[in-house]
Structures are given as C-alpha cells and as structure tokens.
Amino acid sequence: MAMSNIDQVTNLHKNNELQLLCFRLEKGRDLYAVNVFKIREVVKYNGTITIVGHEPNSLVEGLITIRELTIPLIDMRKWFFYDPAIPSKDLRNYAVQREKNEDDIIMICEFSRWTIGVRIYEADRILNKKWTEIEQSTGVGGSNGNGKLVSRTRYYDGKLVQVVDIEKMLVDVFPWIEEEKNKEMESIHQIQTTKKVLLADDSPIVLKTMQAILNRLGIAHLDFINGQKLLDYLFNPETDINDIGLIITDLEMPEASGFEVIKQVKTNAISKHIPIVVNSSMSGTSNEEMALSLDADDFISKSNPIQIEKAVNKLMLR
C-alpha cells in the first residue's frame, strides 16, 4: 500500500486539508492516525528481524530490511506504554499481538530526514479532512499520558480518531537525537534585536525545543499551539505589527495549517513584509518548494538550532 503522490498532497495543503492514515494497535480497538505524508508505504513483513539488544525496556525491536533499505523497527504499542519517568520499565508484554503465522504489518515512516519501520496491528483507511475538523488534544496523551497524541478528529461513523505525535516517538526512541541538538545549541550565539518572533507548532515537544533555541538566541517570542491562534494574535487590532520580526511555523496544525498561515500573512498588505520560516519534519523537497512557492522565506528541518540561527540572522537583521 503506497501513499499519496506529492502533487496531490501539495494541493491538499493549499486547500487547508490533509489525509490521515487510520490504524489500530489491537483488534477492534481504538483508531489512531498519522499524516499520510509521513508514511512511505504500509507493508506485510515476514522477513528476519536483526536483534540489536535484548533489554526488556527497549523500544527498538531490531533492524529490518525492506527493498535493500535497513531500518530500525519500533513497536508503537510498546511506545504507548513507555514512560520516560520510568525508563527501565519492562515493555515486552505490551507488543502488538499477532497470531503465530501472521505477517507483521509495518508502516514505513519518513520524517525529520529519518526512515523507520513502525509495527501496528492493522492499517485501516485513509481519511480526508480539513484542518478545521482537527481538534487540539487537551491534556494531550489521553489515558497513557506523556503527550503521545497531538490532536483528534472523527471517523466516517463518528468514532474518535486520535492523531499520534510521531516526532515525540522519535525523541523517546532515540534520545541521543535530543542530545545532539543540545550540543548544537551550545554553538549558537545571542542575537541583538528588539523585535520578537511568533512561533506556531502543535507538538508540545517541538514547542519546548524551539523555546529553548530562541531563549538561547536571546530573542523574545510568543508561542501558539496552532496556526489559527497565531493569525488571531497577528491580526488583532491591538497587536503592533512593527514589533514582529519573524514568524516560524510548522506545516501540520489543527484549525489552520502552516500553509494557511503563509497564505494569509503574505496576501495581507499590513503583514506581507514579515518574513516566514517553515519549521517542518515533513522534509520532502516538495514541501520546501511548496512553502517557498507560497512566499515563505526559508525552510528548516525540524528545530535545527544552527539552521534557526542562520535564518534569524538572515531574515530578522536585514
């Protein structure tokens, strides 16, 4: 099962729409979803899994090879029961359960310049939604806590579909990614500017990282959990637009996507001078081309401190 082609997804974004692949982690149980654009394909797999460690608390099952590509395999159900506060917790009993002779069902996910295999119970259908139909999850994470669910919407029959914060999964599974980011953070320097940054992202983990980077750069910032909240602030008559030096926005957000933010800011005479940087884990070149074709000024791969410093220097100090 291959996912949408790039032109189709680009058009969806232009219309403030998205496609979600729905899936389950247990037979007949809750529906979860991931943006189709982060999934290369869904495959049945009965090949070997090269075990890289036998720790009972490991989130990585091992390495699998699909079409000559060797990638780590993560069991999403185990991650749902993972608690960063108890890193030594035994996760073996929480794996996706399959009958003995059944193949594994694996989503091949591509985002933040990573490719990983994610084990699920079954893939369901693709939902077409407007971003306005996506609700922010409050107290994100539902019964499992730890902010694993970023938003939610409704299935065809009205059932709840919960959208997984897959960036959070990457950070939990590979903590050294954050450690590398922290090292990069040490190499960036304060920037002298009286203007502030408006920042929009619906992932709490991404907002936290971005806040740390902007604080390190010594830049005042206002943070919003989706594009609509940023637009509401920007176009509020009480907001002094001359105070704003830069907008940094994610692409995928409930209510109004990053593409909608770019469109509204750049087509409005009072705000079109404000530079916009897209901060996205959907790192395909089509996204970059699309964001730039809508008049975004720069594109950075998710929360990269050095790229952010460069973008701020280039766009806020011009």
Side-chain angles (χ1 to χ4, degrees):
M1 177 177 173
M3 296 293 114
S4 311
N5 70 43
I6 278 162
D7 292 340
Q8 187 185 349
V9 177
T10 301
N11 288 332
L12 284 168
H13 271 305
K14 274 193 164 153
N15 297 323
N16 208 28
E17 295 172 342
L18 77 159
Q19 286 185 322
L20 293 167
L21 175 69
C22 298
F23 60 89
R24 288 185 171 84
L25 298 178
E26 296 172 72
K27 188 174 185 174
R29 296 295 296 275
D30 294 357
L31 278 164
Y32 298 101
V34 170
N35 192 317
V36 157
F37 211 23
K38 293 184 178 174
I39 302 169
R40 183 195 283 189
E41 59 183 324
V42 177
V43 296
K44 285 186 171 181
Y45 185 77
N46 59 8
T48 55
I49 298 175
T50 307
I51 306 296
V52 284
H54 292 275
E55 297 83 4
N57 62 338
S58 179
L59 285 164
V60 179
E61 298 280 289
L63 300 172
I64 57 171
T65 303
I66 291 175
R67 295 192 190 85
E68 298 179 358
L69 180 71
T70 299
I71 55 175
L73 175 65
I74 295 145
D75 187 306
M76 189 181 277
R77 192 166 183 273
K78 278 187 179 180
W79 174 63
F80 266 56
F81 287 90
Y82 164 78
D83 181 351
I86 317 168
S88 58
K89 179 176 171 182
D90 188 336
L91 299 172
R92 289 172 296 186
N93 292 334
Y94 300 115
V96 169
Q97 298 300 315
R98 308 205 69 75
E99 296 301 320
K100 273 224 161 61
N101 301 323
E102 282 185 312
D103 294 344
D104 278 325
I105 306 294
I106 294 172
M107 293 192 299
I108 311 296
C109 299
E110 273 186 323
F111 59 98
S112 296
R113 310 197 188 276
W114 278 80
T115 304
I116 57 173
V118 179
R119 182 191 282 131
I120 58 175
Y121 177 76
E122 66 183 359
D124 193 84
R125 60 173 79 184
I126 288 173
L127 275 185
N128 270 50
K129 288 284 179 184
K130 287 208 167 285
W131 278 108
T132 47
E133 297 175 277
I134 307 292
E135 297 165 41
Q136 206 97 28
S137 287
T138 47
V140 208
S143 58
N144 57 17
N146 302 324
K148 295 184 169 76
L149 306 169
V150 76
S151 55
R152 56 200 191 181
T153 189
R154 296 282 160 188
Y155 197 61
Y156 297 94
D157 59 3
K159 274 200 196 88
L160 185 67
V161 176
Q162 302 183 89
V163 182
V164 176
D165 188 350
I166 205 157
E167 279 89 4
K168 175 82 167 79
M169 187 174 82
L170 201 63
V171 168
D172 284 344
V173 175
F174 304 115
W176 49 264
I177 295 176
E178 281 301 279
E179 287 157 23
E180 276 187 1
K181 207 160 267 178
N182 291 337
K183 279 206 190 92
E184 285 180 349
M185 200 107 90
E186 288 166 19
S187 71
I188 63 177
H189 304 96
Q190 289 232 337
I191 290 169
Q192 296 305 313
T193 176
T194 54
K195 298 208 168 188
K196 61 188 171 205
V197 167
L198 302 187
L199 169 66
D201 203 297
D202 67 329
S203 167
I205 190 99
V206 173
L207 270 183
K208 196 173 155 196
T209 305
M210 287 298 299
Q211 288 160 354
I213 294 168
L214 292 170
N215 290 344
R216 173 91 185 171
L217 291 171
I219 291 172
H221 51 93
L222 292 173
D223 313 322
F224 304 91
I225 55 169
N226 64 50
Q228 190 55 52
K229 289 199 165 31
L230 184 150
L231 291 169
D232 291 346
Y233 172 82
L234 182 65
F235 295 123
N236 183 319
E238 292 178 15
T239 299
D240 184 352
I241 277 195
N242 296 319
D243 278 352
I244 299 160
L246 184 66
I247 290 170
I248 301 178
T249 181
D250 184 19
L251 289 182
E252 299 179 272
M253 294 180 289
E255 297 183 36
S257 72
F259 287 110
E260 189 66 17
V261 170
I262 298 165
K263 193 164 74 180
Q264 289 203 33
V265 171
K266 292 300 188 180
T267 54
N268 191 312
I270 66 163
S271 58
K272 66 180 186 185
H273 66 281
I274 301 172
I276 298 182
V277 173
V278 170
N279 178 39
S280 177
S281 63
M282 296 202 293
S283 44
T285 52
S286 73
N287 264 307
E288 301 184 30
E289 286 160 15
M290 171 70 184
L292 298 172
S293 77
L294 273 178
D295 287 340
D297 298 85
D298 209 346
F299 190 103
I300 52 181
S301 56
K302 207 68 170 190
S303 315
N304 179 302
I306 291 162
Q307 286 182 4
I308 290 162
E309 181 185 40
K310 275 187 188 149
V312 166
N313 272 316
K314 180 173 83 176
L315 299 169
M316 277 184 87
L317 307 181
R318 62 187 182 183

